[in-house]
Structures are given as structure tokens and as C-alpha cells.
Amino acid sequence: MVNRHSIIWKLVLPVPIMTLVAVVVSAAFIPDLIRKNVEHNAARSAIEMLNQYRALRSYYTEKVVEKVTRQGNLSATFDHDKNSGAIPLPVTMIHDLNKKLEGQATSLNLYSIYPFPNRRDRQLDAFQRQSWKTLENDPKHQVVDSQIRQGRTVLRVAIADLMQVQACIDCHNNHPLTPKSDWKLGDLRGVLEVSVDISTPLQQGRQLSRGIIFGIVLGGTLLVVFSTFLIHHTVMPVRLVTEDMLKLSTGDFNIQTRPDGDSDEFDQLVRALSNFKDHLIIKQDLEEAEKRRLNKEIQKRSTAFQDSENLSKRIFSSAQDGIIIINEDSTIINFNPAAEKIFGYQKSEIVGHFFFETIIHNQNKEAHMQGFERFLQNGEGAFLDNLIEITAFHQDGHEFPIELTITELKMGRHRGFAGFVRDISSRKKAEKMAAEATQKSETASRVKSEFLASMSHELRTPLNAIIGFSGVMKEQIYGPLGDAKYSEYVLDIQVSGQHLLKLINDILDVSAIEAGKVELNEEEVSIAKVAEASHNLIKSRAQDGALILNLNITDGLPNIWADERRIKQILLNLLSNAVKFTPQGGEISVTSWLNDDGSLAICVADTGIGMDEGDVEKALSEFGQVDSGLDRKHEGTGLGLPLSVGLMECHGGTLTITSAKEHGTQITLTFPKERIVHN
């Protein structure tokens, strides 16, 4: 049985319904429309004919009758056929024409309620009386009516015949037999009527109506046949395809529709459905394979999750740091073994208690509780993920320091927090001992510095006297010394005294740097002038050692804000070491430049014996002596480089050493851009 919602009903049922409606409407309206159309066309033709007769009559009155009567040799009369010297009156002409039309489908008539005596016995019928009455009131009107005469349909059309020519009026008013003698222009003289037999056109119209209705019935029948054909060849196959698609949608791949090889749209649709089925089968197989893979993956991940959870439990239990889990109410809900060891509580004793009231010391409790509440309300504050040191309570009541970090946990719809705790009692004890040791060391260093300062002052006073008196003796101001050996001894005394004075000054400077008591006498300093002065002071020693000393200072270098005496002291220390550790024939150079970052660099380079990393570290230590292997009269104190490093740091600068064995040494002093003086 066909479903009432099927497309079959939508395609077939409207066809007979529309055909029936068309037949009923055609039978009801088309005959009447054709009849009216026939009458309308006949009336229009009759009116045109009447207008032509009226025009002919007017022409005859003006051009014929008037001319004849004016000449006087002829007369116009209604009985002209009895008088050879007469012509018919205009109205008589109309009646004569009507007689000529007898036996034809069209007849012509002219009548009036004011007839001449020869026509007084003529009686007007109902249509003629109604026409006179109508046209008398409205001469422009046209009276139309259809009547049955002797079994035939006749259309009668009447129009007004007015007095329009003065000659006609004069004729009627002066005629001896006139029924009315007061005619004037525009008066209704008579009614001009045409009767047309329209039986034949009406019969043809009825035949046309039947033909139209028959055509509609035939067309509807053909549409029904075509719809049936369409249903059989299109709708029914589509229905089968639809049923197969419904099967596919439920997972039933047993479809019946097969391509018929016509290569039309339906065949293409069936092929597409077949391909769709094949793809569905492949997709189903892939989905089954993917489902099996996902089940294995879920099982694998479930096992991994279980292993991870077991591992987390083992980590929780074996962690060296205490782990305390609390909820939003700060109630302890878990307590690992390390926490039991730190606080002395068993897990069963502490779970269910408030964290801040049980663990935290009273002096920290209120602040931490407020921070915890503030974080729960708006997520603000430094409560989470910060390492803090606080005082905690042990079960036995004693206080001890701990490190605490609290991290938020996501526990389903609830919030939790993990506190990671470490007992830092031992570390605090060690820090206290280290602080005490540092204090003792600083005290010892201060005592040493004070001792060195005092001893150096005590040594410098007699030493200056020795250097001064040896100078007087050397110059033999108060007379000759006698033996030449005395002059040699006096020179040795003076040189040794000066060396000892320099050693004492270096020791005092190092002690001042360590104590942070170096005061710089800062001013605007020209690097070029300081380098040249240092070069001149060391030049004689370089010449004694057969060394080449080069000074390469870039022109236009800016000045620096520094202590000129200390800068010169640094350069002399570096140049002295270069002379000391460079064999004969070697080369020493002093260069300077501006770096890209705005800092200023001075470099002292030599081609001497060089140093490895161990030698560099030893040379930078106080009193560190590098074995040069060279025979020198004075090996130095080992304070030059450490003192230079300290003085550079006082200026905010750096001293860097680049050296390699047998490849010389390069020492670079770098002053920060803040010390550059811009003019």
C-alpha cells in the first residue's frame, strides 16, 4: 500500500483533480464567455453598419435631396416608384434598402413615433418602444438585445437618428404630410435598427466550448498517463533506493537495487548508493579496528594510570620530605611517613585536625590563616608555590624551623592543597655555626689589618730614615766614604729599603681593599697621559732587559673619572710583571680602545713565558709567586696582580687575563661606560 505521504500521491493525485476542476470551470464559464463574445462582436459589427447607414443617409440628404429640390426639376417623395420625376426620401431609401436585404442574415429598419401617413398603421414592438424611450433620454446610448425568432437567435441593435441637417429640418417642417412641424437640430427623428442572425456563430461557439472541454479532458488523461509512466520509471526506483538507504542507515547492508546499465541519472544514483554501501562497509571495518585499538589503548592507559597511582603512593610514602594533604577547610586528610617522622604524629592521630592550628606556631598562625582565606576567595596573594621558612610545633611541644611550600591540587569538583615540609633544624644549626665562624674570621681579619697597619707604620718610620740617610751617604754630601765597597753597600741598602717600602705599601693597600676602606681621589683622568707616564717610568728597566716597549694609544679617546694615582699604580704593576717575565729580545705593548658597549679598555701584552690556568689562579692569589725560570734580582712580593684586581673593582671595572705557556700574556683592564667623561 502506498503511503499517503509518498511522492506518488504528490505527483499523481493533483493531475485528475486539476483536470476535473478545469472541466467544471470550462463547462461553467467558457460557453457563456463565447456567447458573450459572439454577441459583443455582432453588436460591434451592427453598430458599425448602423453608423455607415446613418452616414449614408446624411450624405444622401445633403448632397442629393437638397440639390434635387433646389433645382426644381425633381422632387423627393415616399412613392417615388410611381412618379418618374421623383427620387426617394432619405427614410424611404432606408426602407428600400431593408427590402433589398430580405432573406439575408442582416436586416435594416428605421422607425419613429411620428410616422408619415403611409406608415401610420405600422405597430412598434416592445424592443422598438424601449429603444425609442431610451434613446430619447440619451441619444448617445446604444440599445442591444438578443431574441429568438423562429428558432433562431437574432441580435437587435438600435441607435438614435437625429436631426442633424437644416435641409432635412426644413423639409420635414414644410412637408404637407408631416406629422410634426416644429423640428429642430438635435431632435430624435427616429431609431435606426439592425437585426443580425447570430445562430450560426453561437453554434460554432458551442462547438468550440465542447472542443476546449474535450481538450482539457484529453490533456488531463495524458498527464495521468505520463504521471503513471513517470512513477513507474522514476518514482518507484527512487522509492526502492530510499528503502535501501533506510536499510543502510540501520546497518543492514543487504540492499536489492542494482544498476541497470542505462547510465542515466537513476543508474548513477544506484551506483553511488552501491559505492556508499562499500564505503560504509569499509568504514565499519575501520571503526571496528579503531574500536579494538582504542580498547587496547584504554586498557593500556588504565594499567599505566594504575601503575602511576601506585607509584605516586610509593613516592608519597617513601619521600624524604614531609607531605601533608589538606582540603578547603584546612583539614588534614593525608599525612605521609616523612611527615610523621618530622612532627612526631601518627597519621591516624593527625588526620581530621586543622593544619594551621596543629602544625603552625602561634606567631605565624593568624597570618597564614588570613592568607589562605584570601586565596580561597579571590585567588590573590603569595600563599601558593612560594618557599617560606616558619616555626612549627612538634607533638612533644618543642618548636623547630621548617621550610614549607603549598601547592594547589585538583580533586574533582573540590579543591585541595599539598604542603611539602622539610625540617631545617640541622641546616639552621650549621648556618649559625658558619655565621659565628664568619664573624670570628672577620674579627681575625680586622685584627690582622689593624696589626699590619700598626706594624707597617712602625716599620715605615725607621725605614724612611734608612732610605734617607743611605741617600745622603750615596751622594757623599758630608765627604767621601773612603773605600768603593762602601758606596756599593750604600746603594744596596737604599734599593733594599725602597723594595721593602713598596712591599709595606702593597700590604697596606691589600688590607684596605679587604676591609673596604680604600678611598679614591677621583678626578678627570687622561688615559693617554697616564699610559705615557707609566711607559716612561718602566722604559729604563725594559732597555736594561733588551726588551721592545711599544705604546699604542688610540687618538681621541675620552677621559675617565678615576683615581689617577691608582690607575698609574695598576699600569706600573702590569708593566713590571711584563718586564720581569719576558726574555731578552721580547716585546711589550700597551694599547687602548673603546668597546661597542661604551666601555674603555687598556691592554698590556707581552711575548713572555706565559701561564697556564694553574699559574693564572696562583698569580691572582695574595703572595702567589709564579716560577719564571728567569734570573732576576728582585722576584717581587706576589701582591701586584691581586692589588690591581682590587683597585679595578673599586673603580667598578674588571681585570681579565689571557695567557698560554710560551705564548705570552695579555691583561685587559675594562672601565665601565659610567666612568667615561663625555665632553
Side-chain angles (χ1 to χ4, degrees), residues 76-93:
T77 178
F78 61 85
D79 56 351
H80 63 89
D81 53 350
K82 297 178 181 180
N83 186 353
S84 61
I87 62 173
L89 289 169
V91 67
T92 304
M93 181 192 68

Side-chain angles (χ1 to χ4, degrees), residues 605-661:
D606 62 59
T607 60
I609 61 175
M611 299 179 287
D612 56 22
E613 292 183 3
D615 291 338
V616 171
E617 183 178 356
K618 185 177 181 181
L620 290 174
S621 63
E622 294 180 5
F623 302 104
Q625 295 280 344
V626 177
D627 184 13
S628 65
L630 298 175
D631 185 16
R632 289 286 184 267
K633 185 175 183 180
H634 299 291
E635 287 298 331
T637 62
L639 292 175
L641 278 178
L643 178 58
S644 298
V645 171
L647 291 176
M648 283 301 297
E649 290 175 351
C650 290
H651 284 83
T654 59
L655 184 150
T656 56
I657 299 176
T658 303
S659 183
K661 282 286 190 179

Side-chain angles (χ1 to χ4, degrees), residues 492-512:
D492 290 340
I493 291 172
Q494 188 178 34
V495 171
S496 298
Q498 290 174 347
H499 178 71
L500 182 59
L501 181 61
K502 182 179 183 304
L503 173 62
I504 293 172
N505 288 334
D506 288 347
I507 291 174
L508 288 177
D509 287 339
V510 170
S511 299

Side-chain angles (χ1 to χ4, degrees), residues 216-234:
I216 293 174
V217 172
L218 180 61
T221 303
L222 291 176
L223 281 175
V224 171
V225 173
F226 177 74
S227 300
T228 305
F229 176 81
L230 182 66
I231 290 169
H232 179 72
H233 288 83
T234 303

Side-chain angles (χ1 to χ4, degrees), residues 2-10:
V2 179
N3 186 350
R4 63 187 180 90
H5 296 293
S6 173
I7 193 174
I8 296 176
W9 289 110
K10 297 178 181 179

Side-chain angles (χ1 to χ4, degrees), residues 200-213:
T200 300
L202 288 177
Q203 179 63 28
Q204 293 173 348
R206 284 190 289 272
Q207 291 176 354
L208 178 61
S209 299
R210 288 192 293 270
I212 292 174
I213 294 172

